[in-house]
Amino acid sequence: MNHLLRAAAALLVPAFALCAMPAQAQETFRVGFVNPDRVLREAQPAKAAQAKLEAEFTKRDKDLQAQGAELKAASERFEREAPTLSDTQRAQRQRQLIEQDREFQRKRREFQEDLNARKNEELQAVYERANRVVKQVAEAEKYDAILQEAIYINPKHDITDKVIKALNASGPTGSPAPGGTNGK
């Protein structure tokens, strides 16, 4: 029984200490949450960046697809004609196909590297703008911390919609929209 009283007293002392704290120390810690994936899917600047990338790389992608189709057709033609070709002709066409395939693979790698580099540039710009907007929202609404990843977050702490609205109001290039605020 004596142990039970000591345990109860041990629990009550911290509770009384909390009640005795000054009002300043009892101030609440405000935490918000932003879903960066939603921002990249739904915010106008992110959509504008995606459209810009598509416009920039669509022609090259179509050219590569056409070149790949030509290479496949040449390879199939070679397979059909190989039995009727002389050894010299067969070897020469085989070397040509290997060289065409090597060139195609090189162009495809370059395309992918260029696309990834540009995508990273565009995403970085969107992330920087989004981070500025998150900071503005956090300061305006007096948040102490904003998280981007969490196992669970109560929806009342999710400020993603506010961030998306502020980004959209700043326009796709960061200049203020009519009647909006700048995202910088």
Side-chain angles (χ1 to χ4, degrees):
M1 188 74 156
N2 201 10
H3 287 273
L4 196 56
L5 286 174
R6 272 191 240 146
L11 290 175
L12 288 176
V13 169
F16 287 129
L18 283 175
C19 291
M21 288 179 141
Q24 240 178 358
Q26 291 180 12
E27 186 177 295
T28 59
F29 185 76
R30 288 197 67 199
V31 177
F33 172 77
V34 173
N35 183 333
D37 293 333
R38 266 193 63 211
V39 171
L40 288 180
R41 272 193 324 266
E42 298 174 21
Q44 288 305 318
K47 290 178 182 179
Q50 182 63 34
K52 184 177 178 181
L53 287 171
E54 286 176 14
E56 189 175 328
F57 286 92
T58 298
K59 184 184 180 316
R60 263 177 80 185
D61 186 38
K62 286 182 180 177
D63 290 346
L64 275 174
Q65 288 177 12
Q67 188 177 1
E70 288 174 17
L71 182 61
K72 183 179 178 186
S75 180
E76 289 171 352
R77 191 170 42 255
F78 172 73
E79 292 296 322
R80 282 193 313 271
E81 297 172 357
T84 63
L85 298 173
S86 69
D87 289 344
T88 308
Q89 289 174 321
R90 192 173 323 134
Q92 181 183 10
R93 295 244 327 250
Q94 216 169 11
R95 278 192 305 275
Q96 286 174 340
L97 282 173
I98 289 171
E99 185 57 37
Q100 286 175 338
D101 184 56
R102 194 174 292 139
E103 180 68 13
F104 173 71
Q105 296 301 329
R106 182 188 61 78
K107 285 182 178 179
R108 207 166 74 184
R109 264 191 318 275
E110 286 176 359
F111 171 80
Q112 199 59 48
E113 289 169 2
D114 292 348
L115 177 63
N116 288 340
R118 285 288 296 124
K119 186 182 272 187
N120 288 339
E121 288 172 15
E122 292 293 329
L123 284 178
Q124 185 63 34
V126 171
Y127 277 131
E128 287 172 4
R129 288 182 57 202
N131 285 338
R132 286 192 301 268
V133 168
V134 166
K135 186 176 178 185
Q136 287 175 345
V137 170
E139 289 172 352
E141 298 190 15
K142 304 205 183 321
Y143 281 95
D144 296 303
I146 303 294
L147 307 174
Q148 288 186 342
E149 292 185 28
I151 293 172
Y152 170 77
I153 192 76
N154 186 322
K156 73 180 183 181
H157 300 293
D158 188 346
I159 64 167
T160 305
D161 287 332
K162 293 176 185 177
V163 171
I164 291 171
K165 285 177 188 171
L167 275 170
N168 290 349
S170 70
T173 60
S175 57
T181 59
N182 194 344
K184 294 184 180 181

